[in-house]
Amino acid sequence: MKWVDEQTVLQRADIVQLAAEMKDFLRQGGRERALLPPREVLFQQDPEAIYVSMPAASVDCGLYINKVGSIFPRAVGDSLPTVHACVVAMSARHGRPLALLDGAALTRIKCAAVAAMVTDQCAIPDAHTLTICGTGVQAWQQYLAVTAVRPIQTIRVYARRPEAAAAFVAAIRQHTPKPLILQVETDLEQAIAGADVVATATSAESPLGEFARLQPHVHINCMGGHNEQSRELPWSVLQSALVLTEDVPMAIVEAGEVHQQAHPLEALLTIPVQTLQAQRTVFSSIGHAWLDLLATAHVLQRLD
């Protein structure tokens, strides 16, 4: 069984192509045919930790996978990652083990691809201003995802630590040859004013702000931590927008009753694009194993 490391996963992945594969999987009914049991979450008190198991199987993809991970909160200044994960991939046709993949890297490309898919449907075609709240790994995936599907000209980065936002902006400047306008923002309302797309990817345990200056047509990718006690967006934003999520029943359990009126991602195939782009939309991401399944299939296909 081969080991597929972080660098290989990231190098072989094509975010736009993976987004298209996710959409095709939904369109062709692959999700309905897949085996997708609820993920198992174990909580440890001392030391504080969370252990997660996310299995999925699909004959369409020819894969059975299980992503297992651990989440250990770190003290400020601790250099160890908070999240560790790996993905076991086995054949759904003959049962043999195929590969063990770096789970953190796979999660990164999965999150970027699903955000690209949703943004491409929901954001106005000429979206030119992106606001990113956060400066971590998931914030970077939002930069990659949104700029891959929209002609972004201005990127504003908001963080509670201005030095982190400045470093993030510097990394974007080094990464892209495009002549982007890059701005560090210290005020949330100023950061989101006039933005066509907003991405939140933080570890905040309470809303980042009121989000009072959102445009009526803004699309928001909400990718940070979620439960009934902590969220990045205030209730008012979720209640006033068309909300999309990977799995509505799971979102209700994990992220609150406000998701009772949310739409599954299959709605991207049935709601007219013009209807989505004319209103405020929120992708309230909770993560799901079917996306890990497709990301795994995508990487394995590109190894050959």
Side-chain angles (χ1 to χ4, degrees), residues 30 125 143 155 175 209:
Y143 152 65
I155 298 178
H175 175 266

Side-chain angles (χ1 to χ4, degrees), residues 3-6 9 50-54 65-72 74 81-88 100-108 110 138 292 296:
W3 164 246
V4 187
D5 62 18
E6 175 186 17
V9 171
I50 299 173
Y51 303 108
V52 182
S53 173
M54 299 172 62
I65 71 159
N66 194 9
K67 183 168 79 172
V68 294
S70 62
I71 304 171
F72 276 71
R74 305 297 182 189
T82 300
V83 180
H84 296 271
C86 61
V87 176
V88 179
L100 184 65
L101 301 92
D102 184 283
L106 199 79
T107 299
R108 287 162 65 180
K110 170 197 76 172
Q138 282 302 324
D292 294 291
T296 301

Side-chain angles (χ1 to χ4, degrees), residues 189-221:
E189 298 300 333
Q190 182 63 36
I192 65 175
D196 301 301
V197 182
V198 173
T200 62
T202 73
S203 58
E205 295 185 356
S206 59
L208 299 172
E210 294 183 5
F211 287 82
R213 299 184 67 181
L214 291 170
Q215 295 216 79
H217 68 264
V218 70
H219 171 65
I220 304 172
N221 290 323

Side-chain angles (χ1 to χ4, degrees), residues 152-201:
I152 298 298
Q153 301 171 12
T154 300
I155 298 178
R156 304 170 184 163
V157 179
Y158 166 78
R160 290 175 175 172
R161 293 190 301 117
E163 63 273 18
F168 194 88
V169 163
I172 294 176
R173 186 173 288 114
Q174 185 175 9
H175 175 266
T176 180
K178 296 179 181 178
L180 295 172
I181 299 171
L182 299 170
Q183 301 171 340
V184 172
E185 299 287 350
T186 57
D187 180 85
L188 175 67
E189 298 300 333
Q190 182 63 36
I192 65 175
D196 301 301
V197 182
V198 173
T200 62

Side-chain angles (χ1 to χ4, degrees), residues 279-298:
Q279 62 184 302
R280 186 173 297 167
T281 50
V282 174
F283 174 37
S284 181
S285 180
I286 58 170
H288 203 282
W290 73 269
L291 298 170
D292 294 291
L293 180 78
L294 292 182
T296 301
H298 175 82

Side-chain angles (χ1 to χ4, degrees), residues 22-86:
M22 289 175 174
K23 192 172 181 180
D24 285 343
F25 191 70
L26 290 175
R27 182 182 291 114
Q28 295 165 10
R31 180 175 174 177
E32 286 74 18
R33 290 187 294 274
L35 302 176
L36 301 167
R39 57 188 168 209
E40 188 74 25
V41 181
L42 305 178
F43 296 93
Q44 176 177 288
Q45 297 298 322
D46 187 20
E48 184 178 348
I50 299 173
Y51 303 108
V52 182
S53 173
M54 299 172 62
S58 166
V59 174
D60 293 336
C61 295
L63 280 178
Y64 159 64
I65 71 159
N66 194 9
K67 183 168 79 172
V68 294
S70 62
I71 304 171
F72 276 71
R74 305 297 182 189
V76 176
D78 192 330
S79 60
L80 284 174
T82 300
V83 180
H84 296 271
C86 61

